[in-house]
């Protein structure tokens, strides 16, 4: 069977600043919450941090040459806010800004579309010291940061993404305390969620009112929720999890409201108290596209003993080395769910990929598992397109192995292998396979 993609389908790869750049104190970069969090004992695997990472900051030309060699059409990267301001707020750091100008220029010279994320989790520590996302003051600093980046690169970046995976950095960082800034507080989480949404909406408004020609959107980490059984209790439980992880972040932006399940919960009162009159209108300022990061599905079962009366049931069978279930059809289901509930907004898979235990053998990495993972997910996406979903591009996570946050350097997601001692880049078999997919623009099964 041959799965043919549209000639304009945008095949790309994705990365994030703190995960690849290294050069943590070069050219005036100030510390981020991830520098602090990773250097606090016990927070990350073996105390790993992003001080050096892949040294992409000094090797970006070499990296772009690899993108070119592979025929990659779009490169999604993120901008490090701590490189842009000396004080995290208004004092511009020209050297930091220049890095992104040079990066974008090099991409364009090589005919690769730049896709930029403004926030992929590396908040300047100095802003966290004032409460971070839970303090509404942060909104104006973020909008100012965005305006500086738009002034510098507004029309050169093909797609602007305000935030990466709001649910993940907000729940893992403010509620579960397993990501930076390591807080465990429901009240602060709700405040932070609302402030992030406002910062997003104000930024979209600014971009639109300034008449830049390209697009702006947001990237959410979404998973379809499957009830454990046909029993009504399990069906309701799956819907509740959907409200927490998906709709809590989709609805404000695409519908201008928070889910009823959340507002009607006792803790929803905190949210109701925070929301001001015009907030929801600001938050839902129309975006041009929705970015979706898809990794797996959730299977949910009712359970009286749990705080929210349900739990996620781990599945037997195939998993990646993150322990995430391999479930390609979930992508097709998720894309249809978006189409049915949020209209036919243009969609991009802004991340999908897998970590496996890659082995370097005679200078090569035969990562057949990753090829099989990607192949099945590409086919699932194509099936969704045939069912009427408005999917326009697909960016594989990740272009290169990188610092996998609390998991450190052991989890390798890359199409490119990084030797962390020498910083040598080695293309894995999956990179060569992906290059062929892009060239053919079809997949055969
Ligand atoms: S951790 C995570 N990731 C990986 C990361 O490298 C990247 O920066 C992120 O955009 C790969 O892609 C994203 N996602 C979190 C997945 C959900 C975890 C849910 C845990 C529940 C307690």
């Amino acid at each position: 069977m041959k799965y043919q993609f549209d000639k304009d389908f945008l095949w790309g790869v994705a990365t994030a600043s703190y995960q690849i750049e290294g050069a943590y104190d070069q050219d005036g970069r100030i510390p981020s919450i991830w520098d602090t969090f990773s250097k606090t004992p016990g927070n990350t695997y073996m105390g790993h941090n992003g001080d050096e990472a892949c040294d992409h900051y000094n090797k970006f030309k070499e990296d772009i040459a690899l993108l070119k060699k592979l025929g990659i059409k779009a490169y999604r990267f993120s901008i490090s806010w701590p490189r842009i301001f000396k004080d995290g707020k208004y004092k511009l750091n020209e050297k930091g800004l220049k890095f992104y100008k040079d990066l974008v220029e090099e991409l364009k010279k090589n005919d690769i579309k730049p896709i930029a994320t403004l926030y992929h989790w590396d908040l300047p520590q100095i802003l966290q010291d004032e409460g971070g996302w839970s303090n509404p003051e942060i909104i104006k600093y973020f909008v100012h940061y965005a305006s500086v980046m738009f002034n510098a690169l507004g029309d050169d970046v093909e797609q602007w993404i305000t935030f990466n995976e709001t649910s993940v950095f907000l729940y893992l960082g403010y509620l579960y305390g397993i990501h930076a800034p390591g807080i465990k507080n429901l009240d602060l989480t709700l405040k932070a969620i609302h402030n992030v949404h406002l910062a997003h909406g104000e930024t979209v408004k600014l971009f639109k009112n300034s008449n830049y020609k390209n697009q702006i959107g947001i990237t959410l980490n979404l998973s379809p929720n499957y009830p454990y059984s046909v029993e009504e209790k399990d069906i309701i439980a799956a819907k509740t999890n959907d409200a927490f992880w998906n709709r809590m972040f989709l609805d404000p932006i695409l519908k201008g409201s928070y889910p009823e399940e959340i507002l009607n919960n006792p803790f929803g009162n905190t949210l109701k108290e925070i929301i001001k009159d015009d907030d929801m209108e600001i938050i839902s300022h129309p975006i041009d596209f929705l970015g979706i990061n898809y990794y797996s599905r959730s299977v949910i079962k009712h359970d009286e003993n749990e705080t929210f009366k349900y739990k996620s049931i781990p599945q037997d069978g195939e998993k990646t080395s993150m322990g995430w279930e391999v479930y390609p059809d979930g992508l097709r289901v998720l894309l249809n769910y978006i189409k049915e509930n949020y209209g036919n907004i243009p969609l991009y898979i802004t991340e999908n990929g897998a970590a496996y235990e890659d082995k370097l053998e005679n200078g090569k990495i035969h990562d057949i598992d990753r090829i099989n993972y990607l192949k099945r997910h590409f086919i699932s996406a194509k099936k969704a397109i045939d069912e009427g979903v408005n999917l326009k591009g697909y960016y594989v996570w990740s272009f290169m192995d990188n610092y996998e946050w609390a998991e450190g350097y052991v989890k390798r997601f890359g199409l490119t292998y990084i030797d962390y001692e020498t910083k040598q880049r080695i293309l894995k078999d999956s990179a060569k396979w992906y290059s062929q997919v892009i060239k053919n623009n079809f997949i055969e099964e």
Side-chain angles (χ1 to χ4, degrees):
M1 177 87 183
K2 188 170 164 181
Y3 297 89
Q4 178 75 51
F5 285 80
D6 192 87
K7 70 172 180 7
D8 296 324
F9 196 74
L10 196 55
W11 295 106
V13 290
T15 64
S17 49
Y18 189 70
Q19 296 183 272
I20 63 164
E21 286 178 0
Y24 76 107
D25 61 353
Q26 211 174 312
D27 293 342
R29 178 186 179 277
I30 59 171
S32 78
I33 53 172
W34 269 96
D35 295 81
T36 311
F37 185 79
S38 63
K39 288 173 189 175
T40 306
N43 280 345
T44 66
Y45 176 78
M46 306 271 282
H48 288 182
N49 62 57
D51 279 3
E52 291 184 27
C54 313
D55 198 25
H56 169 76
Y57 189 77
N58 294 300
K59 289 181 175 292
F60 75 95
K61 288 197 177 163
E62 185 185 325
D63 291 333
I64 293 174
L66 281 179
L67 293 174
K68 178 74 179 169
K69 182 173 163 184
L70 294 171
I72 306 289
K73 294 181 178 175
Y75 175 55
R76 174 179 177 231
F77 60 95
S78 81
I79 296 162
S80 161
W81 188 351
R83 290 196 192 280
I84 307 300
F85 299 100
K86 293 175 182 160
D87 61 348
K89 295 179 180 171
Y90 297 112
K91 267 196 198 156
L92 189 64
N93 175 20
E94 291 285 355
K95 284 186 183 163
L97 184 61
K98 185 175 180 303
F99 171 71
Y100 295 103
K101 283 186 182 165
D102 291 348
L103 178 78
V104 167
E105 191 185 307
E106 189 72 12
L107 287 167
K108 293 187 76 154
K109 240 179 18 202
N110 284 284
D111 232 359
I112 299 163
K113 290 187 169 41
I115 316 293
T117 307
L118 288 165
Y119 188 80
H120 199 128
W121 309 355
D122 43 357
L123 184 73
Q125 178 60 43
I126 212 164
L127 295 179
Q128 188 62 47
D129 297 342
E130 296 177 11
W133 291 109
S134 56
N135 179 354
E137 289 289 299
I138 200 171
I139 299 167
K140 63 173 184 280
Y141 302 133
F142 182 79
V143 177
H144 177 67
Y145 157 52
S147 75
V148 167
M149 296 317 302
F150 295 158
N151 276 333
L153 295 166
D155 284 335
D156 293 317
V157 163
E158 196 81 15
Q159 290 181 312
W160 288 95
I161 295 169
T162 53
F163 287 89
N164 179 69
E165 296 193 351
T166 43
S167 64
V168 178
F169 78 84
L170 290 160
Y171 285 155
L172 272 53
Y174 283 80
L175 190 60
Y176 300 121
I178 56 174
H179 272 194
I183 294 168
K184 293 182 190 169
N185 181 312
L186 182 57
D187 236 41
L188 292 181
T189 306
L190 293 166
K191 287 181 179 150
I193 291 175
H194 195 59
N195 290 332
V196 164
H197 285 151
L198 281 166
H200 160 84
E202 292 285 10
T203 303
V204 173
K205 230 170 94 181
L206 169 82
F207 185 83
K208 290 289 168 198
N209 292 342
S210 314
N211 291 317
Y212 291 108
K213 65 177 162 55
N214 290 330
Q215 300 186 331
I216 189 159
I218 189 168
T219 279
L220 303 180
N221 173 67
L222 302 171
S223 300
N225 286 281
Y226 291 69
Y228 180 74
S229 77
V230 292
E231 270 185 50
E232 180 151 8
K233 279 180 180 171
D234 290 341
I235 295 172
I236 292 169
K239 281 203 178 120
T240 311
N241 196 52
D242 181 56
F244 265 102
W245 283 91
N246 297 331
R247 282 182 280 130
M248 182 72 173
F249 302 91
L250 281 162
D251 285 11
I253 287 162
L254 297 172
K255 291 186 171 167
S257 56
Y258 283 101
E260 286 300 316
E261 289 101 318
I262 305 285
L263 293 172
N264 295 339
N265 214 292
F267 67 76
N269 290 332
T270 312
L271 201 54
K272 284 187 209 155
E273 279 163 26
I274 316 168
I275 304 173
K276 291 194 294 318
D277 278 356
D278 302 331
D279 286 3
M280 300 318 291
E281 204 182 316
I282 296 168
I283 293 170
S284 58
H285 200 95
I287 50 177
D288 298 310
F289 67 92
L290 175 70
I292 295 173
N293 293 356
Y294 175 76
Y295 288 97
S296 195
R297 66 162 173 173
S298 304
V299 178
I300 305 293
K301 187 177 183 345
H302 175 83
D303 188 335
E304 277 299 324
N305 303 319
E306 297 289 323
T307 322
F308 295 114
K309 306 254 180 295
Y310 71 84
K311 64 180 177 195
S312 170
I313 306 294
Q315 298 299 294
D316 296 334
E318 206 184 326
K319 295 202 180 67
T320 70
S321 66
M322 291 294 280
W324 298 344
E325 184 195 6
V326 177
Y327 199 75
D329 193 52
L331 177 57
R332 185 189 63 78
V333 169
L334 173 68
L335 290 167
N336 275 291
Y337 160 96
I338 300 292
K339 184 187 75 172
E340 276 149 31
N341 294 288
Y342 299 93
N344 226 4
I345 178 167
L347 303 176
Y348 288 80
I349 302 300
T350 40
E351 285 180 30
N352 170 248
Y356 287 107
E357 326 257 298
D358 297 321
K359 283 192 191 63
L360 186 61
E361 289 165 322
N362 303 320
K364 294 202 160 44
I365 297 99
H366 304 298
D367 55 339
I368 187 74
D369 286 343
R370 185 170 290 103
I371 294 175
N372 282 330
Y373 179 98
L374 289 172
K375 187 177 188 177
R376 285 175 286 166
H377 285 80
F378 291 173
I379 290 172
S380 182
K382 173 61 181 149
K383 286 183 181 163
I385 294 171
D386 291 343
E387 287 162 3
V389 166
N390 198 4
L391 180 68
K392 299 193 161 303
Y394 204 118
Y395 314 150
V396 171
W397 184 269
S398 175
F399 173 45
M400 59 181 119
D401 292 340
N402 58 54
Y403 176 65
E404 182 46 49
W405 308 110
E407 310 281 339
Y409 290 100
V410 282
K411 301 286 189 260
R412 292 178 177 271
F413 271 93
L415 297 173
T416 307
Y417 183 88
I418 302 287
D419 177 333
Y420 288 109
E421 289 297 310
T422 63
K423 308 288 187 263
Q424 194 195 350
R425 279 80 167 124
I426 301 168
L427 294 177
K428 300 181 191 176
D429 284 0
S430 58
K432 297 169 196 164
W433 172 82
Y434 187 39
S435 176
Q436 200 55 46
V437 169
I438 298 174
K439 205 165 145 204
N440 293 341
N441 213 23
F442 65 76
I443 296 167
E444 241 161 342
E445 199 188 22

